[in-house]
Amino acid sequence: MKIQKVIKCKVVCLTNVKRELLTQEYENLQRFLYGDNSVKLYSANKQQAERFYKRVKPDKEYPLSIRKDLIKVGKRDTKIAKYWARIPVAGRRGGVWVAIKPHQDIPDDVEICESKLFRRGSDFYLHLTIQKEIDFVKVETSDYVLYAPPSFTVSERTVVMAIDIGEANPIASVELWGFGMQRKNVRFLGREVRTIRAHYNWVKKSVGRNKIKHALKWIKERIEHKESRKVADVLHKATRSIVDRAIELKQLGFEPIIVFGNLKGVRKLKGKVRCRKNNRKVHTMPSFKIKHMLLYKALWAEIPVATVNEAWTSKQCWRCGSTNTVVRKRMFKCRDCGLEYNRDLNGSVNIGNRLLGYMLRSRADVNQPQTPPVYSVPISDSVCEGRSHPFNGW
């Protein structure tokens, strides 16, 4: 299967002539989209505009879409830049070669696909789309969706990196070793997202209370874009650390697989009504971004990825399988076996065990009791050791 990713490059060290050519091509594209067919625009760029931009919104700039057979990227040993790109423009035959500074090195064994040229202020940015072929297949069943090599099987060397995606803890990760018998390396990542969302929600309310002129436009242009960039930065770092850990395990000789829940329909609440505050939190939960980032980063590193239905994973005890449980804030308690756990971590373990049960089939019922029902918390499983417990007195 083919995997794509985008490398963001800044166009640097432009001469006056090259800047003028790029600016002219970019601005002529905007005029063409708004109905001026007499502008001087490169023919392929005009065809791309007619192909992609069927609906044009007023007061919005659109990037220059460059066909993959027209863009060219070269590696040169110069003092100005390491990489150079050729951009087709109407003002010069053969296009212009510009120096670019990518956020990471561009691999040699990849195919350059259709890319886009943006303008922000006085600077230009090239979003370079690259593609490579990996020996993976997509296996889709009613229970799970798996991206893995054709010969992938679960063995004792398999390490399941189970991830629960939520609102308070965007990423709750745990590693399941030995067919899920051992739980290691618990991590809670992306907690800064909640603070960022709360801060900008307060800023938006302040703008509305102060009755700022053109408040809606001001919020969209200055607040929402900045909020989105900050959230994306936190999520990129969090997902990158997950994939880096999987790469480390692979280099050590293990077989890591990343699994997370399918959150389809989580925003729809049947039979109940959320309050305004909880409704905002659920609808701003960046679940799609996290899944998308994990998927393409893991597949690019040739790490298997799976998604499973996560129904009841947050309400079911991972140790005994009981649903006679109580959840208070971030804590989870099972009334049958006495397990006291972090609720997000409990969901992560259930997601990992569910995938193992689906794939092994011999333990399709993954929530078999591993310990007798006792009202005590094993030290190795306790997440509240060393501080007062919120379930005291229950």
Side-chain angles (χ1 to χ4, degrees), residues 263-279:
L263 292 175
K264 184 177 181 181
V266 70
R267 295 179 179 178
K268 299 178 182 179
L269 191 64
K270 296 181 180 180
K272 297 181 181 179
V273 178
R274 294 191 186 97
C275 67
R276 186 176 181 179
K277 182 178 180 181
N278 287 338
N279 194 55

Side-chain angles (χ1 to χ4, degrees), residues 182-195:
Q182 300 179 23
R183 294 156 300 283
K184 301 180 181 179
N185 197 16
V186 175
R187 291 193 292 174
F188 298 95
L189 304 172
R191 289 179 174 178
E192 302 89 344
V193 171
R194 192 176 186 181
T195 305

Side-chain angles (χ1 to χ4, degrees), residues 25-27 29-30 33 41 45 48-49 52-53 60-66 114-120 124-127:
E25 188 75 11
Y26 192 87
E27 292 180 349
L29 172 67
Q30 313 308 318
L33 292 175
L41 190 65
N45 294 338
Q48 290 291 91
F52 286 108
Y53 306 127
K60 181 179 178 180
E61 284 191 352
Y62 290 86
L64 191 67
S65 180
I66 308 171
E114 187 173 322
S115 305
K116 297 185 182 297
L117 183 71
F118 293 83
R119 183 177 67 176
R120 294 174 185 167
F124 287 94
Y125 295 85
L126 180 65
H127 286 193

